[in-house]
Coordinates of all heavy atoms in Angstrom, one line a residue:
V212 N -66.0 -45.9 84.0 CA -66.2 -44.9 85.0 C -65.5 -45.2 86.3 O -64.8 -44.5 86.8 CB -67.7 -44.5 85.2 CG1 -67.9 -43.5 86.3 CG2 -68.3 -44.0 83.9
S213 N -65.9 -46.4 86.8 CA -65.4 -46.9 88.0 C -65.5 -48.4 88.1 O -66.2 -49.0 87.4 CB -66.2 -46.2 89.2 OG -65.7 -46.6 90.5
C214 N -64.7 -49.0 89.0 CA -64.8 -50.4 89.2 C -64.4 -50.7 90.6 O -63.7 -50.0 91.3 CB -63.9 -51.2 88.2 SG -62.2 -51.0 88.4
S215 N -64.9 -51.9 91.1 CA -64.5 -52.3 92.4 C -64.4 -53.9 92.4 O -65.1 -54.6 91.7 CB -65.6 -51.9 93.4 OG -66.8 -52.6 93.2
T216 N -63.6 -54.3 93.3 CA -63.4 -55.8 93.5 C -64.3 -56.1 94.8 O -64.8 -55.2 95.5 CB -62.0 -56.2 93.8 OG1 -61.6 -55.6 95.1 CG2 -61.1 -55.6 92.7
P217 N -64.5 -57.4 95.1 CA -65.1 -57.7 96.3 C -64.4 -57.3 97.5 O -64.9 -57.2 98.6 CB -65.3 -59.3 96.3 CG -65.2 -59.6 94.8 CD -64.2 -58.6 94.2
G218 N -63.1 -57.0 97.4 CA -62.2 -56.5 98.4 C -62.2 -55.0 98.5 O -63.2 -54.3 98.5
V219 N -61.0 -54.5 98.6 CA -60.8 -53.1 98.9 C -60.5 -52.2 97.7 O -60.4 -51.0 97.8 CB -59.7 -52.9 100.0 CG1 -60.1 -53.6 101.3 CG2 -58.4 -53.4 99.5
I220 N -60.3 -52.8 96.6 CA -59.9 -52.1 95.4 C -61.1 -51.3 94.8 O -62.2 -51.8 94.6 CB -59.4 -53.0 94.3 CG1 -58.1 -53.7 94.8 CG2 -59.0 -52.2 93.0 CD1 -57.0 -52.9 95.2
R221 N -60.8 -50.0 94.7 CA -61.8 -49.0 94.1 C -61.0 -48.2 93.1 O -60.1 -47.4 93.5 CB -62.5 -48.2 95.1 CG -63.2 -49.0 96.2 CD -64.4 -49.6 95.8 NE -65.2 -50.3 96.9 CZ -65.0 -51.5 97.3 NH1 -64.1 -52.3 96.6 NH2 -65.7 -52.0 98.3
N222 N -61.4 -48.2 91.8 CA -60.7 -47.4 90.8 C -61.6 -46.5 90.1 O -62.8 -46.8 89.9 CB -59.9 -48.3 89.8 CG -58.8 -49.0 90.5 OD1 -58.0 -48.4 91.3 ND2 -58.6 -50.3 90.2
Y223 N -61.1 -45.4 89.6 CA -61.9 -44.4 88.9 C -61.2 -43.9 87.7 O -60.0 -43.8 87.6 CB -62.2 -43.2 89.8 CG -62.9 -43.6 91.1 CD1 -62.2 -44.0 92.2 CD2 -64.3 -43.7 91.1 CE1 -62.9 -44.4 93.4 CE2 -65.0 -44.1 92.3 CZ -64.2 -44.4 93.4 OH -64.9 -44.8 94.6
A224 N -62.0 -43.6 86.7 CA -61.5 -42.8 85.5 C -61.1 -41.5 85.9 O -61.6 -40.9 86.9 CB -62.6 -42.7 84.4
D225 N -60.0 -40.9 85.3 CA -59.5 -39.6 85.6 C -60.6 -38.5 85.5 O -60.6 -37.6 86.3 CB -58.4 -39.2 84.7 CG -57.1 -40.0 85.0 OD1 -57.0 -40.6 86.1 OD2 -56.2 -40.0 84.1
S226 N -61.5 -38.7 84.6 CA -62.6 -37.7 84.4 C -63.6 -37.6 85.6 O -64.3 -36.6 85.7 CB -63.4 -38.0 83.1 OG -64.0 -39.3 83.2
V227 N -63.6 -38.6 86.4 CA -64.6 -38.6 87.5 C -63.9 -38.7 88.9 O -64.6 -38.6 89.9 CB -65.6 -39.7 87.4 CG1 -66.3 -39.6 86.0 CG2 -65.0 -41.1 87.6
K228 N -62.6 -38.9 88.9 CA -61.9 -39.0 90.2 C -62.1 -37.8 91.1 O -62.0 -36.7 90.7 CB -60.4 -39.2 89.9 CG -59.6 -39.7 91.1 CD -58.2 -40.1 90.6 CE -58.2 -41.2 89.7 NZ -56.8 -41.7 89.3
G229 N -62.5 -38.1 92.3 CA -62.7 -37.1 93.3 C -64.2 -36.6 93.2 O -64.6 -35.9 94.2
R230 N -64.9 -37.0 92.2 CA -66.3 -36.6 92.1 C -67.3 -37.8 92.3 O -68.3 -37.6 92.9 CB -66.6 -35.9 90.8 CG -65.9 -34.6 90.6 CD -66.4 -33.9 89.3 NE -66.2 -34.7 88.1 CZ -67.2 -35.1 87.3 NH1 -68.4 -34.7 87.6 NH2 -66.9 -35.8 86.2
F231 N -66.9 -38.9 91.7 CA -67.7 -40.1 91.8 C -67.1 -41.1 92.8 O -65.9 -41.2 92.9 CB -67.8 -40.8 90.4 CG -68.6 -40.0 89.3 CD1 -69.0 -38.7 89.5 CD2 -68.9 -40.7 88.2 CE1 -69.7 -38.0 88.6 CE2 -69.6 -40.0 87.2 CZ -70.0 -38.7 87.4
F232 N -68.0 -41.9 93.4 CA -67.6 -42.8 94.4 C -68.4 -44.1 94.2 O -69.6 -44.0 94.2 CB -67.7 -42.3 95.8 CG -66.9 -41.0 96.0 CD1 -67.4 -39.8 95.8 CD2 -65.5 -41.1 96.4 CE1 -66.7 -38.6 95.9 CE2 -64.8 -39.9 96.5 CZ -65.3 -38.7 96.3
I233 N -67.7 -45.2 94.2 CA -68.4 -46.5 94.1 C -68.4 -47.2 95.4 O -67.5 -47.1 96.2 CB -67.7 -47.4 93.0 CG1 -68.6 -48.7 92.7 CG2 -66.3 -47.8 93.5 CD1 -68.1 -49.5 91.5
S234 N -69.5 -47.8 95.8 CA -69.7 -48.5 97.0 C -70.6 -49.7 96.9 O -71.3 -49.9 95.9 CB -70.2 -47.6 98.1 OG -71.5 -47.1 97.8
R235 N -70.5 -50.6 97.9 CA -71.3 -51.8 97.8 C -72.0 -52.0 99.2 O -71.6 -51.7 100.2 CB -70.4 -53.1 97.7 CG -69.6 -53.1 96.4 CD -68.7 -54.4 96.4 NE -68.0 -54.5 95.1 CZ -67.9 -55.6 94.4 NH1 -68.5 -56.7 94.8 NH2 -67.2 -55.6 93.3
D236 N -73.2 -52.5 99.0 CA -74.0 -53.0 100.2 C -74.3 -54.5 99.9 O -75.2 -54.8 99.2 CB -75.3 -52.2 100.3 CG -76.0 -52.6 101.6 OD1 -75.8 -53.7 102.1 OD2 -76.8 -51.7 102.1
N237 N -73.5 -55.4 100.4 CA -73.6 -56.8 100.1 C -74.9 -57.4 100.6 O -75.4 -58.3 100.0 CB -72.4 -57.5 100.7 CG -71.1 -57.2 99.9 OD1 -71.1 -57.0 98.7 ND2 -70.0 -57.3 100.6
A238 N -75.4 -56.8 101.7 CA -76.6 -57.4 102.3 C -77.8 -57.1 101.3 O -78.7 -57.9 101.3 CB -76.9 -56.7 103.6
K239 N -77.7 -56.0 100.6 CA -78.7 -55.7 99.6 C -78.4 -56.1 98.2 O -79.2 -55.9 97.3 CB -79.0 -54.2 99.7 CG -79.6 -53.7 101.0 CD -79.9 -52.2 100.9 CE -80.5 -51.7 102.2 NZ -80.8 -50.3 102.2
N240 N -77.2 -56.7 98.0 CA -76.8 -57.1 96.7 C -76.8 -55.9 95.7 O -77.2 -56.0 94.6 CB -77.5 -58.3 96.1 CG -76.9 -59.6 96.5 OD1 -75.9 -59.7 97.2 ND2 -77.5 -60.7 96.0
T241 N -76.4 -54.7 96.2 CA -76.5 -53.5 95.5 C -75.2 -52.8 95.5 O -74.5 -52.7 96.5 CB -77.6 -52.6 96.1 OG1 -78.8 -53.3 96.1 CG2 -77.7 -51.3 95.3
V242 N -74.8 -52.3 94.3 CA -73.7 -51.4 94.1 C -74.2 -50.0 93.8 O -75.1 -49.8 93.0 CB -72.8 -51.9 92.9 CG1 -71.6 -51.0 92.7 CG2 -72.3 -53.3 93.2
Y243 N -73.6 -49.0 94.4 CA -73.9 -47.6 94.2 C -72.8 -46.9 93.5 O -71.6 -47.1 93.6 CB -74.2 -47.0 95.5 CG -75.3 -47.6 96.3 CD1 -75.0 -48.5 97.4 CD2 -76.6 -47.4 96.0 CE1 -76.0 -49.1 98.1 CE2 -77.6 -48.0 96.8 CZ -77.3 -48.9 97.8 OH -78.3 -49.5 98.5
L244 N -73.3 -45.9 92.7 CA -72.3 -44.9 92.1 C -72.8 -43.5 92.6 O -73.8 -43.1 92.1 CB -72.3 -45.0 90.6 CG -71.3 -44.1 90.0 CD1 -69.8 -44.5 90.3 CD2 -71.4 -44.1 88.5
Q245 N -72.1 -43.0 93.5 CA -72.4 -41.6 94.0 C -71.7 -40.6 93.1 O -70.5 -40.7 92.9 CB -72.0 -41.4 95.4 CG -72.2 -40.0 96.0 CD -73.7 -39.7 96.1 OE1 -74.5 -40.5 96.6 NE2 -74.1 -38.5 95.7
M246 N -72.5 -39.8 92.5 CA -72.0 -38.8 91.5 C -72.2 -37.4 92.1 O -73.3 -37.0 92.3 CB -72.7 -39.0 90.1 CG -72.6 -40.4 89.6 SD -73.2 -40.5 87.9 CE -74.9 -40.2 88.3
N247 N -71.1 -36.7 92.3 CA -71.2 -35.3 92.8 C -70.6 -34.4 91.8 O -69.8 -34.7 90.9 CB -70.4 -35.2 94.1 CG -70.9 -36.2 95.2 OD1 -72.1 -36.3 95.3 ND2 -70.0 -36.8 95.9
S248 N -70.9 -33.1 92.0 CA -70.4 -32.0 91.1 C -70.6 -32.4 89.6 O -69.6 -32.3 88.8 CB -68.9 -31.8 91.4 OG -68.7 -31.4 92.7
L249 N -71.8 -32.8 89.3 CA -72.0 -33.3 87.9 C -71.8 -32.2 86.9 O -72.2 -31.0 87.1 CB -73.5 -33.8 87.9 CG -73.6 -35.2 88.5 CD1 -75.1 -35.4 88.8 CD2 -73.1 -36.3 87.6
K250 N -71.3 -32.6 85.8 CA -71.0 -31.7 84.7 C -71.8 -32.1 83.5 O -72.4 -33.2 83.4 CB -69.5 -31.8 84.3 CG -68.6 -31.5 85.4 CD -67.1 -31.7 85.0 CE -66.1 -31.4 86.1 NZ -64.7 -31.7 85.7
H251 N -72.0 -31.2 82.5 CA -72.7 -31.5 81.3 C -72.2 -32.8 80.6 O -73.0 -33.6 80.1 CB -72.7 -30.4 80.4 CG -73.6 -30.5 79.2 ND1 -73.2 -31.1 78.0 CD2 -74.9 -30.2 79.0 CE1 -74.2 -31.2 77.2 NE2 -75.3 -30.6 77.7
E252 N -70.9 -33.0 80.6 CA -70.3 -34.1 79.9 C -70.6 -35.4 80.7 O -70.3 -36.5 80.1 CB -68.8 -33.9 79.7 CG -68.1 -33.6 81.0 CD -67.8 -32.1 81.2 OE1 -68.7 -31.3 80.9 OE2 -66.7 -31.8 81.6
D253 N -71.1 -35.4 81.9 CA -71.5 -36.6 82.5 C -72.9 -37.1 82.1 O -73.3 -38.2 82.5 CB -71.6 -36.3 84.1 CG -70.3 -36.0 84.7 OD1 -69.3 -36.6 84.3 OD2 -70.3 -35.1 85.6
K254 N -73.5 -36.4 81.2 CA -74.8 -36.9 80.7 C -74.6 -38.1 79.7 O -74.0 -37.9 78.7 CB -75.5 -35.7 79.9 CG -76.8 -36.1 79.2 CD -77.4 -35.0 78.4 CE -78.6 -35.4 77.7 NZ -79.2 -34.2 76.9
D255 N -75.1 -39.2 80.2 CA -74.9 -40.4 79.4 C -75.9 -41.5 80.0 O -76.5 -41.3 81.0 CB -73.5 -41.0 79.6 CG -72.5 -40.3 78.6 OD1 -72.8 -40.2 77.4 OD2 -71.4 -39.9 79.1
V256 N -76.0 -42.6 79.3 CA -76.6 -43.8 79.8 C -75.5 -44.5 80.7 O -74.4 -44.8 80.1 CB -77.1 -44.7 78.8 CG1 -77.7 -46.0 79.4 CG2 -78.3 -44.0 78.0
Y257 N -75.8 -44.8 81.9 CA -74.9 -45.5 82.8 C -75.3 -46.9 82.9 O -76.4 -47.3 83.2 CB -74.8 -44.8 84.2 CG -74.1 -43.5 84.1 CD1 -74.6 -42.3 83.5 CD2 -72.8 -43.4 84.7 CE1 -73.9 -41.2 83.5 CE2 -72.1 -42.2 84.7 CZ -72.7 -41.1 84.0 OH -72.0 -39.9 84.0
Y258 N -74.2 -47.8 82.9 CA -74.4 -49.2 83.0 C -73.6 -49.8 84.1 O -72.4 -49.3 84.3 CB -74.0 -49.9 81.7 CG -74.8 -49.5 80.4 CD1 -74.4 -48.4 79.7 CD2 -75.8 -50.3 80.0 CE1 -75.1 -48.1 78.5 CE2 -76.5 -49.9 78.9 CZ -76.2 -48.8 78.1 OH -76.8 -48.5 77.0
C259 N -74.1 -50.8 84.8 CA -73.2 -51.5 85.7 C -73.0 -52.9 85.0 O -73.8 -53.4 84.2 CB -73.8 -51.7 87.1 SG -75.4 -52.6 87.2

């Protein structure tokens, strides 16, 4: 779906590009996946 490096690289699958956004909060050791404009085909188990 998406991936990120510790630096500035953020990549997305074509199916979610422009709708999903990956981000990091290093202070919280947490990665987020913001999903917008959700479609039926987005229904899945999501893993990091």
Side-chain angles (χ1 to χ4, degrees):
V212 175
S213 182
C214 67
S215 69
T216 70
V219 299
I220 301 298
R221 306 286 185 269
N222 291 318
Y223 301 92
D225 288 341
S226 59
V227 307
K228 192 172 297 182
R230 298 190 297 123
F231 290 13
F232 302 91
I233 189 170
S234 62
R235 297 177 178 228
D236 186 336
N237 289 328
K239 296 182 178 180
N240 271 2
T241 301
V242 179
Y243 302 100
L244 183 67
Q245 178 66 45
M246 304 185 294
N247 301 318
S248 301
L249 284 162
K250 305 174 181 179
H251 186 271
E252 55 263 40
D253 296 320
K254 176 183 177 180
D255 279 309
V256 176
Y257 284 73
Y258 299 86
C259 62

